[in-house]
Amino acid sequence: MPTLRQLFLANNAQTTNFPLLLEFERAEGIYMYDAEGKPYIDLISGIGVSNIGHRNPKVVEAIKNQVDKYMHLMVYGEYVQTPQVRFAEKLVSLMPDNLQSVYFVNSGTEAVEGALKLAKRYTGRTKIIACHNAYHGSTHGALSVMGNDEFKRGYGPLLPDIDFIRFDNINDLSLITEETACVIIETIQGEAGIRVPEITYMQALRHKCSQTGTLLILDEIQAGLGRTGKLFAFEHYGIVPDILLLAKALGGGMPIGAFISSNEIMGALKDNPILGHITTFGGHPVCCAAGLAALEALLAEKLIDQVAEKEALFKQLLVHPAIKQVRGKGLMLAIELENFDLNKKIIDRCIENGIITDWFLHCDNAMRIAPPLIISLEQINTACQIILQSIDYHH
Ligand code: PMP
């Protein structure tokens, strides 16, 4: 009899030659448990997903209730489905006035695709500007705006008319002109190794986009929904995007993404030709019910108010001669170490010791700290002790 692990390697498509191969049986709160019942602290939230922890009871209940009513009924945009309507209503109530039209899709990368298409349709322009070291997803359009050539190798030709600017560099904003359809940018860069831009930069970017009629697309797929200490990361900057992208934590553990804009801009998708973006499963009723419950739990449990204190505790505890820097905002942090080798060894050691962490796609000498926002101060203490012990073991 082959083991589960052997079957996984034989029949499930692999994304690397070195998968983690951990086997979990269940998850609850900040913990995931393996077959022997060993708990692991999920210090990366399944990459920015489990902001309110695994299996929040309100989310589980909402899913069960919705499954008892209906699951898929029809492709997106035709029927009036209560979970979609209520979820969009709640999101819109928490956003600036110009963000009132929510297009639900299935994933982050699909939200990116929808937004890029929308920007071209609405402006009638073709040029797109993105950032070096950006990560926006893995489909062709999103891959085209990825700011790292290595990952694009072998997939060309990708989308034409894309220019890359340096993140947080005001001089490069001069590339934005009246021919630019949109700038797509992570409000706080994730896979670049957590890069927090200056307020002056983000305000200058907003200004330049407004001046040239360029749509500003903020990708908050990783940074949104409380992770940085505000519901939306753009709130740190006193700016508002033309199109906002959400996914990951949006479904409380279920797959859903969204691109959100004004009724005027979004209207460009609905005629001439009709059906400018279509999706069978986008805004799946069970995912919307879960997402609404997750958002309500995030707010009711006042988790966002606690983020700054938790960030400060991580930064206070994570002091070691081998740590060059702990950077980031809220619970979206990176521990920078000397090099990849040391980072990898420490990550492996942390996993052995019951702490799940990893590195970043475009930054392999930094370790990811992005726990569920429900993590307690005591649990942060425990996690940091294990990280420091793991560093000591290898340094
Ligand atoms: N944008 C950002 C900033 C991301 O971090 C990710 C996923 N890591 C994506 C887009 C793509 O999301 P998905 O994997 O759901 O397609």
Side-chain angles (χ1 to χ4, degrees), residues 70-232:
Y70 58 83
M71 295 192 278
H72 178 80
L73 296 180
M74 178 55 171
V75 300
Y76 180 83
E78 296 293 337
Y79 298 167
V80 181
Q81 301 187 34
T82 309
Q84 276 179 0
V85 176
R86 293 290 174 221
F87 192 22
E89 178 189 31
K90 182 74 187 176
L91 280 167
V92 165
S93 76
L94 297 165
M95 270 183 300
D97 289 347
N98 71 315
L99 299 175
Q100 72 237 158
S101 179
V102 182
Y103 195 125
F104 286 120
V105 290
N106 299 282
S107 64
T109 201
E110 192 189 348
V112 170
E113 299 296 332
L116 296 178
K117 286 167 63 187
L118 176 59
K120 288 163 105 176
R121 275 289 286 275
Y122 180 73
T123 62
R125 305 174 184 177
T126 57
K127 288 191 187 327
I128 294 171
I129 289 184
C131 288
H132 289 295
N133 288 325
Y135 184 78
H136 297 290
S138 200
T139 51
H140 264 93
L143 190 61
S144 304
V145 289
M146 152 117 59
N148 180 335
D149 288 339
E150 172 64 13
F151 287 100
K152 300 195 239 188
R153 201 153 33 84
Y155 297 114
L158 292 170
L159 283 181
D161 275 1
I162 299 177
D163 280 323
F164 286 89
I165 59 176
R166 287 168 292 180
F167 187 74
D168 202 18
N169 183 309
I170 289 204
N171 294 334
D172 286 8
L173 298 181
S174 60
L175 259 86
I176 304 168
T177 70
E178 287 178 1
E179 293 184 348
T180 314
C182 61
V183 174
I184 180 165
I185 185 169
E186 295 156 88
T187 314
I188 290 175
Q189 277 194 326
E191 296 311 313
I194 314 296
R195 310 288 166 172
V196 183
E198 295 291 334
I199 292 180
T200 45
Y201 173 75
M202 292 304 271
Q203 295 193 341
L205 169 65
R206 175 65 274 185
H207 182 69
K208 185 76 188 195
C209 286
S210 300
Q211 218 179 26
T212 55
T214 299
L215 298 188
L216 176 59
I217 303 174
L218 290 184
D219 178 342
E220 298 210 1
I221 288 165
Q222 201 169 136
L225 298 159
R227 174 135 311 273
T228 67
K230 300 267 189 201
L231 184 57
F232 303 110

Side-chain angles (χ1 to χ4, degrees), residues 45 48 74 98 121 148 206 248 283 291 308 320 338 364 375:
S45 303
M74 178 55 171
N98 71 315
R121 275 289 286 275
N148 180 335
R206 175 65 274 185
K248 287 188 180 281
H320 190 284
E338 276 149 27
D364 66 10
I375 194 169

Side-chain angles (χ1 to χ4, degrees), residues 180-377:
T180 314
C182 61
V183 174
I184 180 165
I185 185 169
E186 295 156 88
T187 314
I188 290 175
Q189 277 194 326
E191 296 311 313
I194 314 296
R195 310 288 166 172
V196 183
E198 295 291 334
I199 292 180
T200 45
Y201 173 75
M202 292 304 271
Q203 295 193 341
L205 169 65
R206 175 65 274 185
H207 182 69
K208 185 76 188 195
C209 286
S210 300
Q211 218 179 26
T212 55
T214 299
L215 298 188
L216 176 59
I217 303 174
L218 290 184
D219 178 342
E220 298 210 1
I221 288 165
Q222 201 169 136
L225 298 159
R227 174 135 311 273
T228 67
K230 300 267 189 201
L231 184 57
F232 303 110
F234 64 74
E235 294 172 49
H236 292 291
Y237 293 96
I239 60 162
V240 173
D242 299 298
I243 306 176
L244 176 68
L245 309 182
L246 300 173
K248 287 188 180 281
L250 186 62
M254 294 291 277
I256 187 167
F259 56 106
I260 304 172
S261 190
S262 65
N263 279 319
E264 186 201 327
I265 294 172
M266 202 66 91
L269 292 179
K270 68 185 179 190
D271 67 356
N272 192 28
I274 62 165
L275 300 171
H277 190 76
I278 41 181
T279 161
T280 299
F281 284 130
H284 191 282
V286 178
C287 302
C288 282
L292 176 59
L295 184 53
E296 284 172 346
L298 178 72
L299 300 173
E301 293 173 29
K302 303 212 181 315
L303 295 174
I304 301 175
D305 298 347
Q306 304 162 23
V307 167
E309 187 187 7
K310 292 174 181 177
E311 169 190 359
L313 184 58
F314 269 112
K315 286 184 168 166
Q316 181 200 320
L317 294 173
L318 290 172
V319 176
H320 190 284
I323 296 178
K324 291 171 73 176
Q325 193 189 17
V326 179
R327 62 170 172 265
K329 189 108 191 131
L331 293 178
M332 187 172 173
L333 301 171
I335 305 177
E336 190 180 318
L337 297 157
E338 276 149 27
N339 53 47
F340 171 69
D341 279 348
L342 182 64
N343 194 26
K344 174 83 172 79
K345 280 184 193 153
I346 295 170
I347 289 168
D348 289 348
R349 181 84 189 159
C350 281
I351 293 175
E352 278 167 37
N353 290 332
I355 295 276
I356 303 287
T357 174
D358 72 349
W359 65 88
F360 299 90
L361 266 186
H362 309 321
C363 180
D364 66 10
N365 70 339
M367 186 194 286
R368 195 188 297 264
I369 305 283
L373 311 184
I374 57 168
I375 194 169
S376 69
L377 298 178

